[in-house]
Amino acid sequence: MNDDSQILIARLLTHQTLRRDEKLVKRVLSDELFRAEVDARLLACGLKLLDNVYADHVTLALTRTIEPKIFGARDVWQNNNFGLARDGVALLVVLWAQIILPKRERQETHQHADDDQNDMFGTEKPLPRAEDTSIGISYKALLSDFGDKLGKKTRMDMNLGTLAKLGFIERRGDVLLEGPLLDLMMDTDVLKERIINGALADVFKRAPARLVAVGDPLLDADADLAVDTDDTDDDTSSDIPH
């Protein structure tokens, strides 16, 4: 039994997320033997390590095979364990679309949030961290654009508070920023095309004037929360962090 694997799993269960630059997280992402041991111990409990190169954190999720035994216990399938109503799920997907999709595009082009133009040698540099490329959105703009569809101000404020407590977003004054879980718990491959060419197509056709740099002072509610465990891994997990 490896004490490091025990410590890593216990810390993830306790703190829900850990940064990728922490010692044990860096090890589990680079050491194949250590990763295999951690994966085996998690699998025995129906869990899996959740990470992707675009996120600054890692977390835990249920394996796909255990989902029916957890979510399918009732007559109606529970598509998440966060207690979010339909408008809360819709708000989460809107935030993901407006914050994560543009961030990933900047990461893939090696462009930082405060860059005015692309660096011609940027692709030779390491993939930028999320905190260097993530851009927040204005709360007032979100309320103006989606308030009527998402329960108006009182209801939207309540859902934003819940999403902040869960770690999906962070609030700094009028700016809504990416939280540790926002780029981990949503399946980009499943949702991206549906959002860009579907429910939020009109939003992405607008000029990005409402985006707010991190440093600066509707959707169909039937959409399910999808989980992205790894951009190259077909064995996706559920949206339960632990």
Side-chain angles (χ1 to χ4, degrees):
M1 179 180 295
N2 188 314
D3 288 341
D4 285 346
S5 63
Q6 182 183 55
I7 291 170
L8 175 61
I9 293 171
R11 292 192 65 210
L12 280 167
L13 288 170
T14 302
H15 300 293
Q16 187 179 48
T17 63
L18 295 175
R19 290 186 60 87
R20 292 176 67 90
D21 55 11
E22 292 197 19
K23 182 178 179 180
L24 288 180
V25 177
K26 290 171 67 175
R27 181 181 173 191
V28 79
L29 296 177
S30 60
D31 185 331
E32 292 185 6
L33 292 178
F34 185 53
R35 177 62 181 265
E37 180 179 353
V38 170
D39 284 346
R41 297 182 71 168
L42 288 172
L43 184 61
C45 301
L47 297 171
K48 185 176 181 179
L49 184 68
L50 199 66
D51 79 277
N52 70 62
V53 296
Y54 298 98
D56 286 346
H57 297 77
V58 299
T59 189
L60 298 179
L62 290 177
T63 58
R64 183 66 71 187
T65 55
I66 204 70
E67 284 183 22
K69 299 176 182 178
I70 305 301
F71 291 133
R74 300 178 182 177
D75 293 336
V76 179
W77 183 276
Q78 305 170 50
N79 60 342
N80 73 81
N81 72 322
F82 299 116
L84 295 172
R86 291 160 61 91
D87 56 354
V89 175
L91 175 60
L92 175 58
V93 178
V94 168
L95 291 167
W96 175 83
Q98 294 208 16
I99 296 175
I100 297 303
L101 292 182
K103 181 204 72 171
R104 285 200 175 195
E105 182 177 356
R106 284 187 291 273
Q107 287 177 303
E108 291 172 355
T109 58
H110 294 256
Q111 184 179 7
H112 287 64
D114 55 357
D115 287 348
D116 293 329
Q117 57 185 9
N118 291 335
D119 182 352
M120 63 183 296
F121 301 108
T123 55
E124 299 178 4
K125 300 177 182 178
L127 188 73
R129 296 177 302 176
E131 65 182 22
D132 295 326
T133 53
S134 188
I135 291 180
I137 61 173
S138 165
Y139 164 76
K140 292 179 181 178
L142 182 71
L143 181 61
S144 174
D145 290 341
F146 297 99
D148 289 342
K149 298 179 178 64
L150 297 176
K152 299 188 177 180
K153 186 178 187 303
T154 300
R155 184 69 183 176
M156 198 171 81
D157 285 349
M158 184 184 69
N159 284 324
L160 285 173
T162 299
L163 294 177
K165 290 179 181 178
L166 292 171
F168 285 104
I169 62 169
E170 295 180 2
R171 296 194 67 169
R172 297 181 190 171
D174 183 58
V175 183
L176 306 174
L177 303 168
E178 173 185 351
L181 292 181
L182 191 59
D183 200 7
L184 283 174
M185 304 300 288
M186 310 287 282
D187 191 336
T188 300
D189 293 336
V190 171
L191 294 175
K192 184 175 181 179
E193 290 302 318
R194 297 180 185 177
I195 289 173
I196 293 179
N197 298 318
L200 294 181
D202 60 328
V203 174
F204 285 96
K205 290 177 182 178
R206 303 175 191 172
R210 296 179 181 273
L211 295 180
V212 181
V214 171
D216 289 349
L218 165 199
L219 180 70
D220 184 356
D222 287 329
D224 290 340
L225 284 177
V227 173
D228 188 359
T229 57
D230 189 306
D231 286 349
T232 59
D233 190 347
D234 291 332
D235 181 19
T236 55
S237 304
S238 88
D239 50 357
I240 292 200
H242 55 74

